[in-house]
Coordinates of all heavy atoms in Angstrom, one line a residue:
Chain A
D13 N 57.4 4.4 -14.2 CA 57.2 5.8 -13.7 C 58.4 6.7 -14.1 O 58.4 7.9 -13.8 CB 56.9 5.8 -12.3 CG 58.1 5.5 -11.4 OD1 59.0 4.8 -12.0 OD2 58.2 6.1 -10.3
A14 N 59.4 6.1 -14.7 CA 60.6 7.0 -15.1 C 60.2 7.9 -16.2 O 60.7 9.0 -16.3 CB 61.7 6.2 -15.5
R15 N 59.2 7.5 -17.0 CA 58.9 8.4 -18.1 C 57.7 9.3 -17.7 O 57.6 10.4 -18.2 CB 58.4 7.5 -19.4 CG 59.5 6.8 -20.0 CD 60.4 7.6 -20.7 NE 61.8 7.5 -20.2 CZ 62.7 8.4 -20.2 NH1 62.4 9.7 -20.7 NH2 63.9 8.2 -19.7
T16 N 56.9 8.8 -16.9 CA 55.6 9.6 -16.6 C 55.8 10.3 -15.2 O 55.2 11.4 -15.0 CB 54.4 8.6 -16.6 OG1 54.8 7.6 -15.6 CG2 54.1 8.1 -17.9
G17 N 56.6 9.8 -14.3 CA 56.7 10.4 -13.0 C 57.5 11.6 -13.0 O 57.9 12.1 -14.0
P18 N 57.7 12.3 -11.9 CA 58.5 13.5 -11.7 C 59.9 13.3 -12.1 O 60.5 12.1 -12.0 CB 58.4 13.9 -10.3 CG 57.6 12.9 -9.6 CD 57.3 11.8 -10.5
M19 N 60.6 14.4 -12.7 CA 62.0 14.3 -13.0 C 62.8 14.3 -11.8 O 63.8 13.4 -11.6 CB 62.2 15.6 -13.8 CG 63.7 15.8 -14.2 SD 64.0 14.6 -15.7 CE 65.6 14.0 -15.1
I20 N 62.5 15.1 -10.8 CA 63.2 15.1 -9.5 C 62.2 15.0 -8.3 O 61.2 15.8 -8.4 CB 64.1 16.4 -9.4 CG1 65.1 16.4 -10.5 CG2 64.7 16.4 -7.9 CD1 65.9 17.8 -10.5
E21 N 62.4 14.1 -7.4 CA 61.4 14.1 -6.4 C 62.1 13.9 -5.0 O 63.0 13.0 -4.9 CB 60.5 12.9 -6.6 CG 59.3 12.9 -5.6 CD 58.3 11.8 -5.8 OE1 58.5 10.9 -6.7 OE2 57.2 11.9 -5.2
L22 N 61.8 14.7 -4.1 CA 62.3 14.5 -2.7 C 61.2 14.1 -1.8 O 60.1 14.8 -1.9 CB 62.9 15.8 -2.2 CG 64.3 16.3 -2.8 CD1 64.1 17.0 -4.1 CD2 65.0 17.2 -1.8
R23 N 61.3 13.1 -1.0 CA 60.3 12.6 -0.1 C 60.8 12.6 1.3 O 61.6 11.9 1.7 CB 59.9 11.2 -0.5 CG 59.3 11.0 -1.8 CD 58.9 9.6 -2.1 NE 58.5 9.3 -3.5 CZ 58.6 8.2 -4.1 NH1 59.1 7.1 -3.5 NH2 58.2 8.0 -5.3
S39 N 59.9 17.9 1.2 CA 59.3 17.1 0.0 C 59.0 18.1 -1.1 O 58.5 19.2 -0.9 CB 58.0 16.5 0.5 OG 58.2 15.5 1.5
L40 N 59.3 17.6 -2.3 CA 59.2 18.4 -3.5 C 59.2 17.5 -4.7 O 60.0 16.6 -4.8 CB 60.4 19.4 -3.5 CG 60.4 20.3 -4.7 CD1 59.3 21.4 -4.6 CD2 61.8 21.1 -4.8
A41 N 58.3 17.8 -5.6 CA 58.3 17.0 -6.9 C 58.4 18.0 -8.1 O 57.7 19.0 -8.1 CB 57.0 16.2 -7.0
V42 N 59.3 17.7 -8.9 CA 59.6 18.6 -10.1 C 59.3 17.8 -11.3 O 59.9 16.8 -11.6 CB 61.0 19.2 -10.1 CG1 61.1 20.0 -11.2 CG2 61.4 19.8 -8.8
R43 N 58.3 18.2 -12.1 CA 57.8 17.6 -13.3 C 58.9 17.8 -14.4 O 59.7 18.8 -14.3 CB 56.5 18.1 -13.8 CG 55.3 17.6 -13.1 CD 54.0 18.3 -13.6 NE 53.9 19.7 -13.1 CZ 54.1 20.8 -13.8 NH1 54.4 20.7 -15.2 NH2 53.9 22.0 -13.4
R44 N 58.8 16.9 -15.5 CA 59.7 17.3 -16.6 C 59.3 18.5 -17.2 O 58.1 18.8 -17.5 CB 59.4 16.2 -17.7 CG 60.2 14.9 -17.5 CD 59.6 13.8 -18.2 NE 60.0 12.6 -17.3 CZ 61.2 12.1 -17.2 NH1 62.2 12.7 -17.9 NH2 61.5 11.1 -16.4
G45 N 60.3 19.5 -17.4 CA 60.1 20.7 -18.1 C 59.6 21.8 -17.1 O 59.4 23.0 -17.6
E46 N 59.4 21.4 -15.8 CA 58.9 22.4 -14.9 C 60.2 23.3 -14.4 O 61.2 22.8 -14.3 CB 58.4 21.6 -13.7 CG 57.8 22.7 -12.6 CD 57.1 21.9 -11.5 OE1 57.1 20.7 -11.5 OE2 56.7 22.6 -10.6
R47 N 59.9 24.6 -14.2 CA 60.9 25.5 -13.8 C 60.5 25.9 -12.3 O 59.4 26.6 -12.1 CB 61.0 26.7 -14.6 CG 61.8 26.6 -15.9 CD 61.0 26.2 -17.1 NE 59.9 27.0 -17.4 CZ 59.2 27.0 -18.5 NH1 59.7 26.3 -19.5 NH2 58.1 27.8 -18.6
V48 N 61.3 25.5 -11.4 CA 61.1 25.8 -10.0 C 62.1 26.9 -9.6 O 63.3 26.8 -9.8 CB 61.3 24.6 -9.1 CG1 61.1 24.8 -7.7 CG2 60.3 23.5 -9.5
V49 N 61.7 27.9 -8.9 CA 62.6 28.9 -8.3 C 62.4 28.8 -6.8 O 61.4 28.9 -6.2 CB 62.2 30.3 -8.7 CG1 63.0 31.4 -8.0 CG2 62.7 30.5 -10.3
V50 N 63.6 28.7 -6.1 CA 63.6 28.6 -4.7 C 64.2 29.8 -4.1 O 65.3 30.3 -4.6 CB 64.6 27.4 -4.3 CG1 64.5 27.2 -2.8 CG2 64.1 26.1 -5.0
M61 N 69.7 21.7 0.0 CA 68.6 20.9 -0.8 C 69.2 20.6 -2.1 O 69.2 19.5 -2.6 CB 67.3 21.6 -0.8 CG 66.3 20.9 -1.6 SD 64.6 21.7 -1.6 CE 64.8 23.0 -2.8
L62 N 69.6 21.6 -2.8 CA 70.1 21.5 -4.2 C 71.2 20.5 -4.2 O 71.3 19.7 -5.1 CB 70.6 22.9 -4.7 CG 70.2 23.3 -6.1 CD1 68.8 23.2 -6.4 CD2 70.7 24.7 -6.4
V65 N 70.5 16.8 -4.2 CA 69.9 16.2 -5.4 C 71.0 15.6 -6.3 O 70.8 14.6 -6.9 CB 69.1 17.3 -6.2 CG1 68.7 16.8 -7.6 CG2 67.9 17.7 -5.4
L77 N 64.7 10.8 -5.6 CA 64.7 10.2 -6.8 C 64.9 11.1 -8.0 O 64.2 12.2 -8.0 CB 63.3 9.4 -7.0 CG 63.1 8.3 -6.0 CD1 62.2 8.8 -5.0 CD2 62.5 7.1 -6.8
V78 N 65.7 10.8 -8.9 CA 66.0 11.5 -10.1 C 65.7 10.6 -11.3 O 66.4 9.6 -11.4 CB 67.4 12.1 -10.2 CG1 67.6 12.9 -11.5 CG2 67.7 13.0 -8.9
D79 N 64.8 11.0 -12.1 CA 64.4 10.2 -13.3 C 64.1 8.8 -13.0 O 64.5 7.8 -13.6 CB 65.6 10.2 -14.3 CG 65.1 10.0 -15.7 OD1 63.9 10.0 -15.9 OD2 65.9 9.9 -16.6
G80 N 63.4 8.7 -11.7 CA 63.1 7.3 -11.3 C 64.2 6.5 -10.6 O 64.1 5.5 -10.0
Q174 N 69.3 16.1 -18.3 CA 67.8 16.2 -18.3 C 67.3 17.3 -17.4 O 66.2 17.8 -17.6 CB 67.3 14.9 -17.7 CG 67.8 13.6 -18.3 CD 66.9 13.2 -19.5 OE1 65.7 13.6 -19.5 NE2 67.4 12.3 -20.3
A175 N 68.2 17.7 -16.4 CA 67.7 18.8 -15.5 C 68.9 19.7 -15.1 O 70.0 19.2 -15.2 CB 67.1 18.3 -14.3
M176 N 68.7 20.9 -14.8 CA 69.8 21.8 -14.4 C 69.5 22.4 -13.0 O 68.4 22.7 -12.7 CB 69.9 23.0 -15.4 CG 70.4 22.5 -16.7 SD 72.3 22.4 -16.7 CE 72.7 24.1 -16.7
L177 N 70.5 22.4 -12.1 CA 70.4 23.1 -10.8 C 71.2 24.4 -10.8 O 72.3 24.3 -11.2 CB 71.0 22.1 -9.7 CG 70.5 20.6 -9.7 CD1 71.2 19.8 -8.8 CD2 69.0 20.6 -9.5
G204 N 62.5 24.5 -22.6 CA 61.9 23.4 -22.1 C 62.7 22.6 -21.1 O 62.4 21.6 -20.6
M205 N 63.9 23.2 -20.6 CA 64.7 22.5 -19.7 C 64.1 22.4 -18.3 O 63.5 23.4 -17.9 CB 66.0 23.2 -19.6 CG 67.0 22.7 -18.5 SD 67.6 21.1 -18.9 CE 68.8 21.3 -20.2
T206 N 64.2 21.3 -17.7 CA 63.8 21.2 -16.3 C 64.8 21.9 -15.3 O 66.0 21.7 -15.5 CB 63.7 19.7 -15.8 OG1 63.0 18.9 -16.8 CG2 63.0 19.6 -14.5
M207 N 64.4 22.9 -14.5 CA 65.3 23.6 -13.7 C 64.9 23.8 -12.4 O 63.7 24.0 -12.0 CB 65.4 25.0 -14.4 CG 66.0 25.1 -15.8 SD 65.7 26.6 -16.7 CE 66.8 27.7 -15.9
I208 N 65.8 23.8 -11.4 CA 65.6 24.3 -10.1 C 66.6 25.4 -9.9 O 67.9 25.2 -10.0 CB 65.9 23.2 -9.0 CG1 65.0 21.9 -9.2 CG2 65.5 23.8 -7.6 CD1 65.2 20.9 -8.2
C209 N 66.1 26.6 -9.7 CA 67.1 27.8 -9.5 C 66.9 28.3 -8.1 O 65.7 28.8 -7.7 CB 66.8 28.9 -10.5 SG 66.7 28.4 -12.2
D222 N 57.5 28.2 -13.0 CA 56.1 27.6 -13.0 C 55.7 27.5 -11.5 O 54.5 27.6 -11.2 CB 56.2 26.2 -13.5 CG 56.6 26.2 -15.0 OD1 55.9 26.9 -15.7 OD2 57.5 25.4 -15.3
T223 N 56.7 27.3 -10.6 CA 56.5 27.1 -9.2 C 57.5 27.9 -8.4 O 58.6 27.9 -8.7 CB 56.6 25.6 -8.8 OG1 55.9 24.8 -9.8 CG2 56.1 25.4 -7.4
V225 N 59.1 28.2 -4.6 CA 59.3 27.5 -3.4 C 60.0 28.4 -2.3 O 61.0 29.0 -2.7 CB 60.2 26.2 -3.5 CG1 60.6 25.6 -2.2 CG2 59.4 25.2 -4.3
I232 N 60.5 23.6 3.8 CA 59.7 24.3 2.7 C 58.5 24.8 3.3 O 57.6 24.1 3.7 CB 59.4 23.2 1.6 CG1 60.7 22.9 0.9 CG2 58.5 24.0 0.6 CD1 60.5 22.1 -0.4
T235 N 54.8 26.5 -1.2 CA 54.9 26.2 -2.6 C 53.8 26.7 -3.4 O 52.6 26.3 -3.0 CB 55.0 24.6 -2.8 OG1 56.0 24.1 -1.9 CG2 55.4 24.2 -4.2

Side-chain angles (χ1 to χ4, degrees):
Chain A
D13 75 328
R15 293 290 120 210
T16 54
M19 182 72 227
I20 297 172
E21 189 173 10
L22 288 82
R23 295 181 188 153
S39 294
L40 180 70
V42 182
R43 284 175 284 111
R44 273 160 216 288
E46 185 176 358
R47 276 94 49 163
V48 176
V49 168
V50 183
M61 178 176 79
L62 221 53
V65 171
L77 293 98
V78 178
D79 206 9
Q174 309 266 342
M176 289 278 286
L177 311 174
M205 175 64 77
T206 311
M207 295 164 71
I208 306 183
C209 307
D222 298 309
T223 310
V225 168
I232 292 186
T235 308

